[in-house]
């Protein structure tokens, strides 16, 4: 883009919790931002759905407009914090076609249709930055996309949704019911506009897809991600987790795996990407991630293990990530230069969760009589799944003549573990499969 005489014109799309904080930082930090960019940042308008809604006093109402398309046409940089697929996608494509750089926090859009945006940005020669789309304030996109570009990432594992972490934490420590904790998370500004995106794991799955794409130089869409949310987690599960020295966390995991049907450990030509609740041992650093904080481990061959930790949700933390991107793309406008384009050359096959290698803790309610354990063990052996620990629960938890059994397995392919569970459910001595949780980080 070459030298630029005047201010860098910034359009803000969306003025919710995050948008308000972006506007606040742009105002309160204006002098420093101008010095870092090499030119003033001028907020030329804020697109909103409802012009009459109550706003924080920091918002200059004269900047509000309901005509987002016209606003986009007058900007050098478009900052999008609308969320959702439309109208965000059309507006960003319009911005890019018009030569504007884009800074977006929109994980749903990137997770579903990132390649379309990348291709458009590449064709137009403009920047597409999205640090705020994954893990709020934590610098994670840039380290994975740029700092680790010379390494070979093997695994990304972490907590990438603040709302569900807050909810699970409140269930474990305060004893709140899930719905109460979700309501609190919404009030604190952590949750998405529709919290089902959080509790059903869609938000984490989109972030997992984005991280996996960057880490493995492979297109991964949210549809490739195995997704289980936290709605099935009960107070009983949380109590049993504590009893066995674990906490339950919603994890996002993207890792290299072998090819189906091959046992060669050096073969890691595919990847599996998954989001699900998991038991994490209390001694693991992820177990200590409280409230709406996020933490992500990245394992790479040369770097070894890296841990990223910080505030994963909320207006100001997310705005911090957006401002970082805004300074970068604005600087490119002023001084020249351009950020990275899509890197998807590796085209690794994305396998289903059946190929993941993991451990299960299976909670069974069984008939309390001789020979039952042997029958249960037989099912595991039949699928070549090795048992690590068996624990019989408190008699008070189970009904008369029944016992609670907790079986923890050694690592096995997920396909074998789920087939084991299916067979256990059909065993006459098994009254119920109370819960099945993967165990990670042990
Ligand atoms: N709803 C998201 C979360 C916000 O709870 O993590 C950040 O993407």
């Amino acid at each position: 883009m070459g030298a630029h005489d005047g201010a860098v014109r910034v359009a803000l799309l969306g003025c919710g919790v995050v948008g308000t904080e972006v506007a606040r930082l742009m105002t309160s930090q204006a002098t420093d931002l101008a010095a870092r960019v090499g030119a003033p940042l001028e907020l030329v308008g804020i697109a909103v759905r409802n012009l009459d809604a109550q706003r924080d006093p920091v918002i200059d109402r004269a900047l509000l407009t309901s005509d987002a398309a016209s606003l986009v046409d007058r900007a050098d940089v478009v900052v999008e914090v609308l969320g959702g697929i439309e109208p965000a996608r059309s507006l960003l494509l319009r911005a890019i076609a018009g030569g504007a750089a884009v800074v977006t926090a929109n994980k749903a859009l990137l997770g579903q249709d990132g390649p379309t945006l990348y291709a458009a940005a590449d064709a137009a020669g403009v920047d597409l930055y999205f640090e705020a789309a994954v893990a709020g304030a934590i610098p994670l996109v840039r380290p994975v996309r740029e700092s680790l570009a010379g390494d070979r990432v093997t695994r990304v594992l972490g907590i990438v949704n603040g709302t569900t972490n807050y909810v699970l934490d409140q269930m474990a420590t305060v004893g709140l019911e899930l719905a109460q904790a979700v309501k609190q998370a919404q009030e604190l500004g952590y949750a998405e506009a529709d919290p089902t995106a959080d509790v059903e794991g869609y938000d984490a799955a989109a972030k997992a897809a984005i991280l996996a794409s960057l880490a493995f130089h492979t297109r991964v869409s949210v549809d490739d991600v195995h997704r289980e949310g936290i709605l099935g987690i009960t107070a009983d599960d949380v109590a049993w987790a504590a009893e066995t020295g674990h906490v339950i966390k919603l994890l996002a995991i993207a890792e290299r795996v072998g090819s189906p049907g091959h046992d060669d450990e050096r073969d890691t030509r595919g990847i599996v990407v998954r989001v699900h609740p998991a038991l994490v041992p209390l001694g693991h650093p992820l177990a200590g991630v409280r409230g709406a904080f996020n933490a992500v481990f990245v394992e790479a061959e040369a770097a070894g293990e890296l841990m990223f930790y910080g505030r994963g949700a909320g207006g100001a933390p997310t705005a911090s990530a957006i401002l970082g991107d805004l300074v970068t793309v604005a600087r490119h406008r002023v001084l020249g230069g351009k950020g990275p384009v899509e890197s998807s050359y590796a085209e690794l096959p994305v396998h289903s969760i059946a190929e993941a290698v993991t451990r299960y803790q299976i909670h069974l309610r069984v008939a309390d009589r001789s020979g039952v354990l042997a029958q249960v063990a037989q099912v595991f052996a039949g699928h070549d799944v090795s048992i690590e620990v068996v624990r019989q629960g408190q008699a008070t938890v189970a009904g008369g003549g029944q016992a609670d059994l907790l079986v923890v397995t050694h690592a096995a392919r997920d396909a074998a573990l789920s087939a084991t569970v299916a067979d256990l459910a059909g065993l006459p001595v098994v009254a119920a499969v109370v819960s099945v949780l993967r165990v990670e980080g042990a």
Side-chain angles (χ1 to χ4, degrees):
M1 263 292 141
H4 196 288
D5 294 333
V8 177
R9 296 165 301 166
V10 180
L12 180 58
L13 308 183
C15 195
V17 175
V18 177
T20 301
E21 295 309 315
V22 169
R24 192 188 313 281
L25 284 177
M26 285 187 69
T27 306
S28 66
Q29 306 294 325
T31 310
D32 285 328
L33 293 170
R36 293 170 197 174
V37 167
L41 295 178
E42 185 193 351
L43 186 55
V44 292
I46 307 174
V48 293
R49 264 182 284 266
N50 180 0
L51 286 173
D52 300 323
Q54 273 210 328
R55 305 277 167 197
D56 186 290
V58 78
I59 300 300
D60 176 357
R61 299 196 78 96
L63 293 177
L64 298 180
T65 173
S66 55
D67 185 357
S70 303
L71 173 60
V72 156
D73 293 344
R74 330 187 243 120
D76 299 309
V77 181
V78 172
V79 174
E80 186 262 318
V81 288
L82 295 167
I85 306 301
E86 285 295 347
R89 175 170 42 200
S90 304
L91 289 168
L92 292 188
L93 290 174
R94 181 180 181 120
I96 290 167
V102 163
V103 174
T104 176
N106 195 330
K107 52 257 163 180
L109 177 55
L110 289 163
Q112 190 182 91
D113 209 8
T116 302
L117 290 181
Y118 272 127
D122 196 17
V126 299
D127 277 333
L128 172 63
Y129 273 69
F130 47 88
E131 184 62 70
V134 184
I138 307 171
L140 184 60
V141 167
R142 202 168 307 213
V144 174
R145 179 153 87 148
E146 300 183 44
S147 316
L148 288 167
D151 209 332
R152 183 175 187 270
V153 175
T154 50
R155 192 169 200 231
V156 179
L157 168 141
I159 296 165
V160 295
N161 182 266
T163 300
T164 48
N165 201 58
Y166 178 84
V167 167
L168 293 169
D169 191 32
Q170 291 291 98
M171 288 175 80
T173 56
V174 185
L176 289 191
E177 292 297 332
L178 189 127
Q180 282 175 300
V182 171
K183 192 159 171 289
Q184 281 190 359
Q186 282 178 287
E187 285 162 6
L188 290 165
Y190 302 149
E192 296 301 297
D194 175 1
T196 40
D198 296 300
V199 294
E200 293 189 359
Y202 289 103
D203 177 82
K207 292 167 179 169
I210 294 168
L211 285 177
S213 302
L214 299 174
F216 300 114
H217 302 270
T218 290
R219 283 187 176 171
V220 180
S221 119
V222 69
D223 300 327
D224 299 318
V225 181
H226 173 87
R227 178 190 53 79
E228 298 168 36
I230 65 163
L231 289 177
I233 302 296
T234 63
D236 202 31
D237 295 331
V238 171
W240 276 101
E243 173 94 12
T244 59
H246 295 89
V247 283
I248 301 177
K249 296 290 189 189
L250 184 75
L251 296 186
I253 302 171
E255 60 195 348
R256 292 181 186 268
V257 296
S259 305
H262 291 79
D263 287 332
D264 182 350
E265 282 180 8
R266 293 160 305 172
D267 165 16
T268 51
R269 275 173 298 194
I271 55 172
V272 171
V273 190
R274 51 192 168 114
V275 166
H276 52 72
L279 292 165
V280 176
L282 283 172
H284 191 279
L286 286 177
V289 177
R290 306 283 311 276
F293 279 78
N294 285 186
V296 178
F297 284 88
V298 180
E299 295 165 21
E301 278 184 359
E305 196 170 68
L306 302 162
M307 181 176 175
F308 299 85
Y309 173 81
R311 292 183 197 278
T318 310
S320 166
I322 288 171
L323 264 289
D325 282 353
L326 179 53
V327 167
T328 302
V329 304
R331 209 189 266 148
H332 288 161
R333 290 264 144 177
V334 176
L335 301 171
K338 200 184 147 313
V341 296
E342 182 184 26
S343 174
S344 60
Y345 74 93
E347 295 180 1
L348 301 180
V350 187
H351 298 305
S352 81
I353 193 163
E355 303 308 322
V357 175
T358 180
R359 297 164 65 219
Y360 273 19
Q361 177 180 282
I362 301 161
H363 179 176
L364 301 173
R365 189 146 302 148
V366 297
D368 193 8
R369 58 169 192 267
S370 65
V372 170
L373 197 53
Q375 285 188 51
V376 167
Q378 195 62 42
V379 173
F380 283 84
H383 291 283
D384 205 16
V385 172
S386 173
I387 293 173
E388 183 185 319
V389 180
V390 178
R391 184 185 167 116
Q392 184 153 337
Q394 306 281 316
T396 48
V397 179
Q402 292 186 333
D404 277 309
L405 272 189
L406 286 188
V407 184
V408 182
T409 71
H410 283 295
R413 282 178 63 238
D414 201 88
L417 290 162
S418 66
T420 305
V421 173
D423 284 359
L424 287 169
L427 214 57
V429 295
V430 172
V433 178
V434 180
S435 74
V436 179
L437 285 164
R438 296 183 184 85
V439 186
E440 301 290 342

